[in-house]
Structures are given as C-alpha cells and as structure tokens.
Amino acid sequence: MENFKNEKILVVIPARGGSKRIPKKNIKPICGIPMIYWPLNELTKIFSLDQILVSTDDEDIIKSIELYGLKTEYRRPAELADDFTGTTAVAYHAFKWFEQNKTNVDYVLIVYPTAVLLSQKDILNAFITLKSDE
C-alpha cells in the first residue's frame, strides 16, 4: 500500500462537538472504541500524525484524540461550529491555519469522523483519481 507521509497532504477531520441528534457522536464508542478512532486507525497507516488536523471546538474530542496520540494546537472558532456552516468553510479555515502555522500543502483530504468503514484502499483510489484529473 502506498504511503503518503512524504507528500504535502493535509488531512482535515471535521469533528464538531454539537451534534443535535446524537450528542458527542464523534467519540461515541463503536465496538468499544471512539468512533473517530476508526478512520484515524486507517489514516495513520499512510499519513503521519503531523499531516492530520482534527477541526473541532469540543474539549472532549480534543482529549480523546490526544489519548490517541494526536496533538493539536488548532481549535475551530465558534463561528464555524454552528448548525449552518458547511464542510468547505471548515476545511478552508483549517487549511489556512495549517499553512500559516505549520507548512504549505498541495492537497487537502477531508475525512469525516463517522467514516468507520474507510480503508487504505479507499484513500489510495481517491488520490489516484485526483491525480489523474490534474
């Protein structure tokens, strides 16, 4: 399986804390582990932790990802954590912060914390499709 640890790729995981239907859904256990860990387990097989940015406004989510080993200085601002803000605005804000505070990137991959069935193959196929469209 291809490894993207040397590519200039930022993975943004939009994980807002304020779900109305299922509060704290992003860290609810699925088969005994927090939901957000499922995509993280696949992502960390091919990306370094430095390439992954969880966009959240929620301290419980931050504590959970820190237990996973993912440290972040980034916090999603309150104006991007409401019921009406779309993923594009959230990802763009995270991307701009990352480029100003870390390093430039060529690609941004958005992975939802609810993507519990995401596989390395899915990620590779998406990247191949993206590259073939350049």
Side-chain angles (χ1 to χ4, degrees):
M1 188 60 60
E2 191 166 339
N3 185 310
F4 298 114
K5 292 180 181 177
N6 295 320
E7 296 282 340
K8 294 174 79 174
I9 299 172
L10 170 63
V11 179
V12 176
I13 301 177
R16 186 170 71 99
S19 174
K20 301 292 186 244
R21 289 176 284 164
I22 305 172
K24 307 285 186 182
K25 74 177 175 195
N26 296 316
I27 54 175
K28 289 279 188 203
I30 302 287
C31 294
I33 65 170
M35 184 184 307
I36 196 170
Y37 285 19
W38 289 92
L40 279 172
N41 285 336
E42 290 301 301
L43 290 166
T44 56
K45 292 175 185 174
I46 53 178
F47 296 101
S48 71
L49 289 176
D50 293 336
Q51 291 175 282
I52 301 170
L53 189 148
V54 175
S55 174
T56 190
D57 60 318
D58 187 89
E59 287 301 316
D60 290 334
I61 293 173
I62 291 166
K63 288 176 188 170
S64 182
I65 63 168
E66 286 180 347
L67 286 173
Y68 186 86
L70 187 62
K71 303 289 184 207
T72 184
E73 305 158 35
Y74 177 79
R75 299 294 184 270
R76 187 191 306 188
E79 64 268 16
L80 294 177
D82 60 24
D83 292 338
F84 307 104
T85 304
T87 303
T88 303
V90 169
Y92 183 73
H93 186 272
F95 159 73
K96 294 306 284 181
W97 180 91
F98 193 84
E99 285 209 322
Q100 290 172 353
N101 293 279
K102 299 293 182 180
T103 188
N104 291 338
V105 296
D106 295 325
Y107 302 98
V108 176
L109 171 66
I110 300 168
V111 175
Y112 292 100
T114 55
V116 297
L117 299 178
L118 181 72
S119 72
Q120 292 177 66
K121 185 177 178 182
D122 295 330
I123 297 164
L124 178 60
N125 287 339
F127 194 71
I128 289 170
T129 300
L130 175 68
K131 293 288 277 184
S132 70
D133 197 35
E134 290 183 334

